[in-house]
Amino acid sequence: MSPRILGRLGHLMRDRGLQAGFAVLALFVGADLRRELLLTATYSASAIVASMLTNARRTAAVALASVVVAIVVGYVDDETAGTEWLLRAWLGAALGILAVVSAVVRDRREERLRRMTVIAATAQQALLSSLPSRMLDVDLASRYVSATAAAQVGGDLYEVAQTPYGVRLIVGDVKGKGIEAAQVAASVLSAFRHAAAAEPDVGAVARALDATVAQLASDEDFVTAVIVELGADQLTVASAGHPAPLLLVGRSVTELDPPEHALPLGLGADPVLLTHDWPPGARLLLYTDGLVEARDRRGRFFPLDDHVDGLRDPSLDLSLDHLVDQLVLHVGAHVDDDLALVLAEHRP
């Protein structure tokens, strides 16, 4: 037998649906052979089990095997021969057909879901294209980390705009997941591009975005966001229920927490502005809560403060790569929530 066929057989035998189906079939046959019960009509229950775990073709294999085994067992057993045996065989065949039909319906539904997820994820990646490496006197780097494959499309967002007032940045997180969250994120980004150039300060930008989200979302939906204006020597922060950015100046680290916490966008956000020095060489990290709320197997949150030194690498891209690597090591390879990161450096 060729290695290709052996490999194919090995792959089939690792299929959980086939394993479960044939295991259930073996249990029924073993019980039936004890002659205490007549279970030939229920052999096809093994195909129903398989239909929940594997595709239609493999479910059909289990169904066919269950019907053949039922016929053989009934033929060998003189007590079940005759009309009753035929009825049991037909009932088993009907159950097998039902299992295959169920698997076909499930396969088609999952295929449609996969296509919708791919389309939404592609649209989201298009919206969250990489930021320019430099804008005015600010160097930039960004990262978007998708959650596990089992998770739905998220609503994390980021964008940068060059305005008459300086470089303006936004990082936000739409409540919930799925296509609806991605649609809200797209609307927020579009509104930010317009408001960032038109509004006189980042507080007014936040209020404009709040009105946009309020029109789109329901009463229970919202967007947390932080909007930052990077000027010649000062930065201004408007936070709407979002994790505070980190400012790195030399060896010092400052959490730019606002003097008063504001509501998220869509719930009446009117943030109090925070102004801070923005000296040459300073770096600013903006992130979504997928970073600080990531847990390891013991339930411990990711210790961002312990990994701040890695953000001082001469390369902004390598700094973010190091932070993402540390996050993956902390959670154990699978990130359960989407994550958006933006790192800016003042380099006149």
Side-chain angles (χ1 to χ4, degrees):
M1 190 174 293
S2 68
R4 181 178 180 181
I5 296 178
L6 289 174
R8 179 64 176 172
L9 290 175
H11 176 73
L12 289 175
M13 294 310 297
R14 289 191 296 270
D15 186 282
R16 290 186 301 173
L18 285 176
Q19 292 174 353
F22 285 121
V24 172
L25 178 59
L27 288 175
F28 279 127
V29 173
D32 205 5
L33 292 178
R34 297 179 62 183
R35 297 298 186 268
E36 297 178 1
L37 297 172
L38 295 176
L39 301 175
T40 52
T42 59
Y43 285 5
S44 292
S46 59
I48 295 177
V49 172
S51 70
M52 301 177 184
L53 301 172
T54 191
N55 59 34
R57 183 175 299 178
R58 296 173 184 177
T59 299
V62 177
L64 179 61
S66 65
V67 172
V68 170
V69 172
I71 293 174
V72 172
V73 171
Y75 180 78
V76 172
D77 189 353
D78 294 335
E79 297 179 6
T80 60
T83 304
E84 183 180 351
W85 169 67
L86 289 176
L87 289 175
R88 291 177 182 275
W90 280 110
L91 179 58
L95 287 175
I97 293 172
L98 178 63
V100 173
V101 171
S102 176
V104 170
V105 172
R106 184 179 59 81
D107 285 348
R108 290 178 178 176
R109 185 185 301 114
E110 290 182 352
E111 180 62 24
R112 287 196 297 269
L113 180 60
R114 281 193 293 267
R115 289 178 181 176
M116 291 178 63
T117 301
V118 169
I119 292 172
T122 302
Q124 186 177 40
Q125 291 294 339
L127 290 170
L128 295 180
S129 57
S130 298
L131 300 182
S133 60
R134 184 171 178 83
M135 184 172 287
L136 296 180
D137 58 355
V138 178
D139 287 351
L140 297 162
S142 62
R143 290 292 182 275
Y144 179 80
V145 181
S146 297
T148 59
Q152 292 179 310
V153 177
D156 287 18
L157 58 95
Y158 57 76
E159 184 59 288
V160 62
Q162 180 176 331
T163 76
Y165 314 100
V167 175
R168 288 180 171 177
L169 288 163
I170 182 174
V171 170
D173 186 1
V174 181
K175 176 193 174 186
K177 296 183 180 296
I179 297 177
E180 293 81 4
Q183 290 174 337
V184 173
S187 299
V188 170
L189 290 175
S190 178
F192 170 76
R193 297 181 187 109
H194 173 75
E199 300 295 343
D201 60 69
V202 287
V205 174
R207 290 188 290 273
L209 299 185
D210 176 77
T212 298
V213 176
Q215 292 176 353
L216 293 173
S218 64
D219 294 338
E220 297 181 356
D221 294 332
F222 57 84
V223 180
T224 67
V226 59
I227 307 168
V228 180
E229 178 181 296
L230 302 176
D233 54 10
Q234 283 190 329
L235 61 82
T236 306
V237 179
S239 179
H242 199 79
L246 290 184
L247 178 65
L248 288 73
V249 181
R251 304 304 302 178
S252 67
V253 180
T254 304
E255 190 177 57
L256 300 181
D257 210 17
E260 296 181 17
H261 292 279
L263 294 172
L265 303 178
L267 300 179
D270 188 12
V272 177
L273 302 185
L274 171 67
T275 302
H276 200 282
D277 291 337
W278 177 235
R283 288 187 174 184
L284 183 69
L285 175 68
L286 294 87
Y287 54 91
T288 54
D289 58 10
L291 178 64
V292 292
E293 293 184 359
R295 298 173 182 260
D296 63 10
R297 295 178 180 178
R298 298 181 181 179
R300 297 174 298 185
F301 291 110
F302 178 69
L304 177 58
D305 293 341
D306 295 345
H307 302 287
V308 170
D309 286 342
L311 296 174
R312 295 187 172 94
D313 190 283
S315 167
L316 296 183
D317 287 311
L318 291 180
S319 294
L320 290 185
D321 288 341
H322 173 77
L323 185 60
V324 172
D325 290 343
Q326 294 302 313
L327 176 68
V328 172
L329 287 175
H330 177 79
V331 300
H334 294 296
V335 180
D336 292 328
D337 193 8
D338 292 340
L339 169 65
L341 298 169
V342 173
L343 186 61
E345 180 178 3
H346 189 193
R347 187 168 295 189

